[in-house]
Amino acid sequence: MTLLTHVLACLFGMGSWVAINGMWVELPLIVPEIPEGWYLPSYLTVLIQMANVGPLFVTLMHRFRPGKLDERPVIYSIVGLGVVATFLLAFFWKHTVPLAGAMHSVPLLVLCFLLSVVDCTSSVTFLPFMMRLGPQYLTTYFVGEGVSGLVPAVVALVQGVGVVHCLDATVASLANGTLGINSTVGASGELQAQYQPANFSAQVFFLFLSAMMVVCLAAFLLLNYHPAVARERKREHYFNGSLAEEKSDQALSLSHRPQEEKPMISSPDGHRRARRSSFGTGFYSGPEVTFIFVVLAWVNALTNAVLPSVQSYSCLPYGNQAYHLAVTMAAVANPVACFIAMFLPLRSLVLIGLLTIVGTGFGTYIMAMAALSPCPLLVHSASGTAIIVIAWMLFVLTLSYVKVIIGVILRDEGHSALVWCGAVVQLGSMLGALSMFPLDYFPAVANWLKI
C-alpha cells in the first residue's frame, strides 16, 4: 500500500509542470508553422510571468484569510483546465486570427497562457496538499516534478523534433522542385535550414500531454479517495477551515523530525524550548527562516530561468552532441537528486549553504562559457565538451537536492510554510526570467554582455 501511495504521489507531481515543459520541447516543430516564428519563446516567457496572478491570489488568500482556502477544489479546477487546454491545443495550435493588420496565433497564445496559470498555480497548491500525507511522500512528489521535464523531452526525442539539415539553396530547390514549406528562403549558393519531418505530428504530442494531465487528475482522485491511501494519512480530517487546526498540524509535525533533532526542540528535563520565531513551529529563528527562503529563491532563479536561457550559448559551440548531452543529463539529474534526497535527507542549513555555493560555482562557469560564446574555453577539445556537460549535470544535481531538502524542512513547519515555499519558488523564477528577458529584446545590452 505504501508503494501505491508513492506511485500516486509521483504521478501527481508529474502533472505539475508537464504542460509547459512540453511546450518548450515542441517549439522546433511549432515555430516554422506559425506567423510569430522564433518570437514565440519570448511571448511564452511573458505569458508565464503574467500567469503568476494565480499563485499571487492563492498566497494572498492564505496570508489575509488563513484557513479559508481549501486547496483541493483549486487543484481539481486547474488540473481539469490543463486537461481541456492541452486537448484544445492539439486541434487549434495552427489556427491564426487577423489582429492589428497581421495574422497572429491567438488560440495558441491564449491556451499557452491558461496552461501557464495551471502550472504556476500548482506550485502553491500541490505542495500544501502533500501535507495531508506522510513526510516520506513529499520527496516522491519532487521526483515526479522532476520527471515532468524528462518525460516530454524523451517523447520529443522519439518524435524527432528539431532535426535539421543545412543544404545549398539551389540544391534544395532542385531536389524539391520548390523550396519546402519548412525551409528558410535563401539566395542561390547560400546554405538554408531544412527541417526534417517528425515521426508523429504536434497534434499527437499535445494529445499525449492531455493524457498526462488526465493521469495527474486520476492520481489526485486516488490520493483523496482510495482506502489504502486514506490509511497512510497522518490524520483523517486534515483541513477543517480553522487556523487552530493548522496550528495543531504544525505541532503534530514535530513528531516527524529525525531522532537526533528532537533535543533541539526539547530541553533535557523534558520541557519544550521557547519558540525561536513566529514562523511555523518556531523551530527555526528569524534569520534562519530568511536564509532558507533567500536560498530557495536564488536556486529557483538559477535553475528555472537564468541558466536555461543561456544553455544553447554555453553548449552549442562545443557541437550539437554536447548540447543534446547537456540537456539530457540535466533532465536526468533532477529526479536523481530527488532519489538521493529520499535516502539521504540531510537537513543541515550549513550543508544547504555549501551545496548552494558549489552549485552556483558550476552555474558561474556555465555563464562564463555562454559569455565567451562562440569561442569559449577548450572549444575544440574533447575535454571542453566533457567539462561543459558535467558542469550542467552537477549544477542541476546539487541545486535540485537543495530545493528538495528545503521542501522537506518547510513541510515540517506546517501547511502555510509549504504555501510560502511555492510562492517563493515562483517569485525566484519570475525574478530570474525578468533579469534575462531584456537580453532577448535589447541586442545592444546582449552585445555589451557578449551573450
Side-chain angles (χ1 to χ4, degrees):
M1 296 300 101
T2 301
L3 177 60
L4 172 65
T5 309
H6 277 294
V7 171
L8 292 176
C10 183
L11 293 175
F12 176 57
M14 197 182 303
S16 58
W17 281 91
V18 70
I20 290 300
N21 286 332
M23 277 298 305
W24 283 112
V25 299
E26 196 70 1
L27 283 180
L29 204 61
I30 296 174
V31 162
E33 305 289 341
I34 60 174
E36 287 78 10
W38 280 107
Y39 283 108
L40 180 61
S42 297
Y43 295 156
L44 276 180
T45 302
V46 174
L47 292 173
I48 292 172
Q49 303 318 313
M50 291 172 59
N52 278 309
V53 64
L56 179 63
F57 170 77
V58 174
T59 306
L60 291 177
M61 281 291 294
H62 281 286
R63 174 64 180 85
F64 295 106
R65 300 295 299 274
K68 297 299 182 182
L69 181 65
D70 186 349
E71 63 270 0
R72 288 174 297 182
V74 180
I75 294 175
Y76 281 122
S77 300
I78 63 174
V79 177
L81 177 62
V83 172
V84 174
T86 47
F87 182 80
L88 293 177
L89 203 57
F91 300 97
F92 295 103
W93 69 272
K94 280 201 295 186
H95 284 235
T96 56
V97 175
L99 188 65
M103 301 301 292
H104 292 282
S105 305
V106 174
L108 173 66
L109 296 176
V110 170
L111 292 171
C112 285
F113 173 74
L114 295 178
L115 291 177
S116 300
V117 172
V118 170
D119 290 1
C120 290
T121 309
S122 72
S123 295
V124 292
T125 52
F126 284 23
L127 273 175
F129 171 79
M130 293 305 297
M131 190 74 192
R132 301 171 184 271
L133 306 176
Q136 67 271 26
Y137 300 113
L138 182 63
T139 310
T140 309
Y141 166 83
F142 279 117
V143 172
E145 193 176 74
V147 172
S148 71
L150 178 62
V151 170
V154 171
V155 174
L157 188 64
V158 174
Q159 186 184 17
V161 168
V163 179
V164 62
H165 294 297
C166 292
L167 300 176
D168 183 275
T170 306
V171 175
S173 299
L174 291 174
N176 298 330
T178 59
L179 290 178
I181 296 176
N182 293 336
S183 301
T184 57
V185 179
S188 179
E190 290 182 354
L191 290 177
Q192 67 177 43
Q194 193 168 56
Y195 292 92
Q196 302 304 298
N199 295 323
F200 52 87
S201 66
Q203 182 182 50
V204 174
F205 183 84
F206 288 133
L207 289 175
F208 164 77
L209 293 183
S210 184
M212 291 296 298
M213 294 303 297
V214 170
V215 169
C216 174
L217 181 60
F220 182 61
L221 283 166
L222 292 174
L223 286 173
N224 278 287
Y225 297 109
H226 197 285
V229 179
R231 290 194 292 270
E232 294 286 341
R233 293 176 188 153
K234 306 193 323 289
R235 189 169 65 241
E236 190 66 31
H237 301 289
Y238 161 77
F239 198 102
N240 67 355
S242 70
L243 185 60
E245 183 72 10
E246 182 176 334
K247 293 298 183 183
S248 171
D249 183 79
Q250 293 172 352
L252 201 144
S253 69
L254 290 173
S255 62
H256 293 288
R257 291 189 184 279
Q259 190 67 30
E260 64 273 13
E261 288 189 12
K262 288 184 179 179
M264 299 179 68
I265 61 172
S266 300
S267 58
D269 60 356
H271 295 289
R272 187 176 297 175
R273 287 184 179 181
R275 293 169 61 92
R276 300 172 66 194
S277 71
S278 60
F279 179 78
T281 63
F283 183 78
Y284 294 100
S285 66
E288 287 174 336
V289 172
T290 302
F291 169 78
I292 289 171
F293 280 121
V294 168
V295 168
L296 184 63
W298 173 256
V299 166
N300 280 278
L302 292 183
T303 57
N304 296 344
V306 176
L307 270 298
S309 67
V310 299
Q311 188 167 36
S312 59
Y313 294 100
S314 65
C315 298
L316 280 177
Y318 296 97
N320 286 330
Q321 185 178 15
Y323 176 72
H324 288 296
L325 276 174
V327 171
T328 304
M329 296 306 293
V332 172
N334 193 327
V336 168
C338 298
F339 274 114
I340 295 174
M342 185 181 296
F343 299 104
L344 289 173
L346 305 175
R347 307 185 186 199
S348 167
L349 296 187
V350 174
L351 178 63
I352 288 176
L354 289 175
L355 288 177
T356 302
I357 293 172
V358 172
T360 303
F362 288 121
T364 301
Y365 175 81
I366 293 168
M367 184 65 76
M369 295 306 100
L372 294 173
S373 182
C375 300
L377 300 177
L378 305 173
V379 66
H380 295 301
S381 67
S383 59
T385 301
I387 290 173
I388 195 65
V389 172
I390 293 172
W392 267 104
M393 181 180 67
L394 294 180
F395 164 74
V396 175
L397 186 70
T398 53
L399 296 190
S400 295
Y401 182 86
V402 169
K403 287 193 288 186
V404 175
I405 294 302
I406 289 179
V408 172
I409 288 174
L410 293 177
R411 186 231 173 263
D412 280 349
E413 297 304 306
H415 177 271
S416 62
L418 285 181
V419 174
W420 284 108
C421 176
V424 172
V425 166
Q426 287 304 117
L427 176 64
S429 302
M430 182 181 69
L431 293 177
L434 293 177
S435 67
M436 300 304 291
F437 185 73
L439 302 181
D440 291 330
Y441 276 98
F442 300 102
V445 177
N447 182 61
W448 178 61
L449 292 175
K450 296 183 178 178
I451 295 178

